[in-house]
Structure formats: structure tokens, C-alpha cells
Amino acid sequence: MVISKEAVLAWIRAFAAAVEQHKEYLTELDAALGDADHGANMHRGLQAVLDRLNGVADRDIGTILRTVGMTLVSSVGGASGPLYGTFFLRAGTAAGTKMELTADDWLQMLEAGIRGIVDRGKARRGEKTMLDALGPGLDTLKASLQEGQPLNEALRRSAEAAREGMEATIPMLATKGRASYLGERSVGHQDPGATSAYLLLQTAAETWTAGA
Ligand code: ADP
Ligand code: MG
């Protein structure tokens, strides 16, 4: 099984649709921990991405994902814009001029994207951010592929690990970003960025395993 360029485009569109569907929920989560704009931020950014996507749809995967990244950086004011933007820029750079992806390509892209978020935001896992969903998603993808699972099963397990990671942010104390201003009062709420990050990996798994 390989991931075609069309499948990559379908993933971005599915992520935009999932964020649109859960926009109010993401904003509600951010109302408890931040400034109640995460759903609106992500939605605005991804609508700008959809506007740009058709213009690069016949290019390689690296160009497509770097376009996604640049659009998010330039259209989202909140912390999540530069962070998700960097994720897509780095993942796109890792993909290079490829027109389809193997399991190992996706693993390397996810790893590079997450490293970009760490470089940009200086957070580590356990600080109640998007990294707490993406990190377990990456670990489980890697472990599943290493134990010889087919890509579709590895993707499903990766999304499930991201969901568990998202839920595990509830008892965490926020020490990065706006939620850190709340100190102890940040405990007991699910992180909005970890929630959108789960949607990112969940839509990848759903789109790429459809029919598999
Ligand atoms: P803002 O906090 O500027 O209003 P958003 O509400 O769109 O931006 O995004 C908030 C999310 O960004 C948080 O829930 C968290 O997951 C993520 N985040 C904030 N700071 C960092 C960081 N330094 N590293 C990784 N993720 C971060
Ligand atoms: Mg916010």
C-alpha cells in the first residue's frame, strides 16, 4: 500500500472538513484554557488552505504540503498557525518531490513535522499541547511498522494512540502557551491543540485506509 498524491490532497480536505465540523467544540475547549479562538483559528487557516489547494493539486507532495504550511503561517494569528504551519513545512520538505508515499516516507514526514513544532514552540511532551497527541501517534506508528503491521493497521493504531494522548491532556498542568497562564486551574480540561492534532491523524487514518 502506498499513499498517492490524491490521497494526500484528500487528507488535507478531510482535515479541513473535520475542523469545520468540530469548530465550536475546539473553541469551547479553548474557552476553558485560553481565549476561545482555536476552532476559529484553525477553520480560518484551513479555509485559506482550501482556496490555495487546487492551484497546486498537480504538483508534487512536498510542494503541496509546503503550500499548506505557508498558508497556515500567514493566515492564522494564534500560536497554532505557526506551529501547524511549521509541521506542514517540515513534513513537505521531508516528502520532497515524491508523487506517492510509502509507510516509511510517512513515518519520516510525521517525525520531521513534530520536530518542527518542537523547534518552533520549545515545548516537550507532557506540557499539555498538540505534542501530547502527535507524539504518541508517531511512537505507535513507528512501533506498529517495526513489528510488521501493514500500513493501514499502523495508521489506525497511530490515530488511536493520538486519541488516548489527547484524553491524557485532561489531568495535565499546562506549562506552555496561553493555558500556562492559568497555572493549576489548567488541570481538568482537554487541550484544544491536542484535540485538533488528533483530528489531523484521525483523518489521515480514515482517508488512507478507506477501502483497505
Ligand atoms: P492561541 O493560544 O494563540 O490563542 P490557539 O488557541 O489557536 O492559539 O492554539 C492553542 C493551542 O496551541 C494549545 O491548545 C496548544 O495545543 C498549542 N500550543 C500553544 N503553545 C504551544 C507550544 N509552545 N508548543 C506546542 N503547542 C503549543
Ligand atoms: Mg486560543
Side-chain angles (χ1 to χ4, degrees):
M1 177 189 163
V2 291
I3 302 161
S4 67
K5 183 193 66 163
E6 286 70 29
V8 172
L9 289 164
W11 164 49
I12 301 301
R13 293 193 176 105
F15 179 47
V19 164
E20 174 154 44
Q21 190 188 339
H22 299 291
K23 185 163 64 120
E24 275 77 37
Y25 175 56
L26 293 172
T27 287
E28 235 172 75
L29 293 173
D30 196 30
L33 284 174
D35 54 356
D37 64 357
H38 188 61
N41 283 343
M42 294 300 293
H43 182 247
R44 181 177 346 102
L46 287 161
Q47 290 305 305
V49 164
L50 292 182
D51 288 344
R52 298 277 299 277
L53 214 51
N54 286 337
V56 290
D58 55 354
R59 307 284 294 277
D60 57 71
I61 293 171
T63 303
I64 291 168
L65 293 182
R66 285 198 308 274
T67 302
V68 172
M70 285 184 288
T71 307
L72 290 176
V73 170
S74 63
S75 63
V76 179
S80 56
L83 292 166
Y84 273 108
T86 304
F87 174 88
F88 282 106
L89 283 166
R90 296 284 186 94
T93 299
T97 56
K98 292 192 172 81
M99 299 299 274
E100 61 179 30
L101 307 171
T102 63
D104 196 51
D105 292 334
W106 171 238
L107 178 63
Q108 309 235 349
M109 287 161 63
L110 188 57
E111 199 154 37
I114 292 172
R115 205 174 309 124
I117 294 175
V118 172
D119 289 348
R120 180 102 195 198
K122 310 282 179 231
R124 289 182 306 184
R125 291 195 207 178
E127 293 194 282
K128 201 178 182 98
T129 72
M130 54 180 72
L131 290 172
D132 294 310
L134 294 171
L138 171 66
D139 289 351
T140 298
L141 181 75
K142 192 184 255 176
S144 302
L145 293 173
Q146 270 168 4
E147 74 183 51
Q149 294 295 330
L151 177 56
N152 56 17
E153 182 58 24
L155 287 166
R156 283 190 206 102
R157 291 184 186 188
S158 169
E160 180 56 20
R163 192 182 63 73
E164 286 168 10
M166 165 190 89
E167 288 170 356
T169 63
I170 297 173
M172 285 180 188
L173 177 74
T175 47
K176 283 286 183 312
R178 222 175 260 283
S180 65
Y181 307 157
L182 290 181
E184 291 291 339
R185 281 180 297 129
S186 66
V187 172
H189 303 281
Q190 183 170 302
D191 180 61
T195 309
S196 55
Y198 159 66
L199 294 175
L200 183 74
L201 296 189
Q202 193 268 332
T203 50
E206 196 174 83
T207 309
W208 297 341
T209 63

